[in-house]
Amino acid sequence: IANLEAMQFDSGSVRLAVIAEIIDAYNSARFFQESAAITRASIRSRKQVLELVQRRATAEDATALEIAQTKALLATAEANLPILLGRYEESVFRIATLVVQPGSDVLARMNAGRAQLRPRGKLEVGVPADVLRNRPDVRRAEREFARATASVGVAEAQLLPSLSLDGTVTVGDLDSWSFGPTLFLPLFNRAVLSANRDVTLSRAEEAE
């Protein structure tokens, strides 16, 4: 039962992980989208500055070094733009993969453009113990500890003598039945059972 409950909480951890990945990919996509827009504006501005510097150079009011520096800044901005657009599309297709939707559809919706996600108002996290109890990974660890503790009890029981009751019933021309107890004494394999008990104790400590 503890193992089953641990697996159920594990599915909750996976669900939270997927949601976190989607939010991270969305914020990354919006960040690179906004960065690309800023870079485009920077490219337009640097082109205007270059034209101005070239006019000044024609009037012998600017040096060749100023022209070279302006061209270098423009080239840097133009080189950064494809990188930002590539990172943007990478984040968008990451979202499409996580939500199992066609990449073209997600890209079309994301191209409309919106701001990054931001928390609104004051966040009340509550009592720390409640936060921990609501985390499925912590709950899963608790159930794994319960499973490990129960396994210790099973291993301890195997070191003790056990009594089983066996019986058979035969139905036919001559009905018969038999019944009798069987006593099991762990004598010859006690070292193995003791080692198994020690292993379960170690696992319980690890789970704790």
Side-chain angles (χ1 to χ4, degrees), residues 18-60:
V18 172
I19 293 173
E21 285 288 330
I22 294 173
I23 293 174
D24 179 68
Y26 179 86
N27 268 345
S28 296
R30 291 307 185 195
F31 170 78
F32 291 118
Q33 187 180 41
E34 187 174 352
S35 298
I38 295 173
T39 303
R40 289 192 189 95
S42 177
I43 291 173
R44 291 192 296 267
S45 175
R46 294 187 188 284
K47 286 181 177 179
Q48 294 174 357
V49 172
L50 178 59
E51 292 177 0
L52 179 60
V53 172
Q54 288 173 338
R55 290 197 194 113
R56 290 175 53 204
T58 303
E60 298 183 352

Side-chain angles (χ1 to χ4, degrees), residues 80-133:
N80 286 334
L81 182 59
I83 298 175
L84 294 172
L85 292 175
R87 298 294 299 274
Y88 164 69
E89 292 184 357
E90 177 186 348
S91 299
V92 170
F93 285 110
R94 181 178 161 204
I95 296 173
T97 302
L98 291 168
V99 299
V100 197
Q101 293 293 327
S104 56
D105 295 346
V106 179
L107 183 61
R109 296 181 63 180
M110 293 291 291
N111 284 339
R114 290 189 66 179
Q116 289 181 268
L117 297 176
R118 291 181 175 85
R120 299 179 180 177
K122 185 178 180 182
L123 297 178
E124 297 291 343
V125 297
V127 180
D130 292 336
V131 176
L132 290 176
R133 276 190 288 269

Side-chain angles (χ1 to χ4, degrees), residues 8 11 24 38-39 70 77 79 88 119 124 129 132 149 159 187 191 194 199:
Q8 290 173 341
S11 66
D24 179 68
I38 295 173
T39 303
T70 307
Y88 164 69
E124 297 291 343
L132 290 176
T149 304
L159 290 169
L187 299 177
S194 297
V199 169

Side-chain angles (χ1 to χ4, degrees), residues 154-161 185-186 189-195 197:
V154 174
E156 289 281 0
Q158 291 176 348
L159 290 169
L160 303 175
L185 298 174
N189 62 340
R190 191 170 186 84
V192 175
L193 295 176
S194 297
R197 187 268 317 276

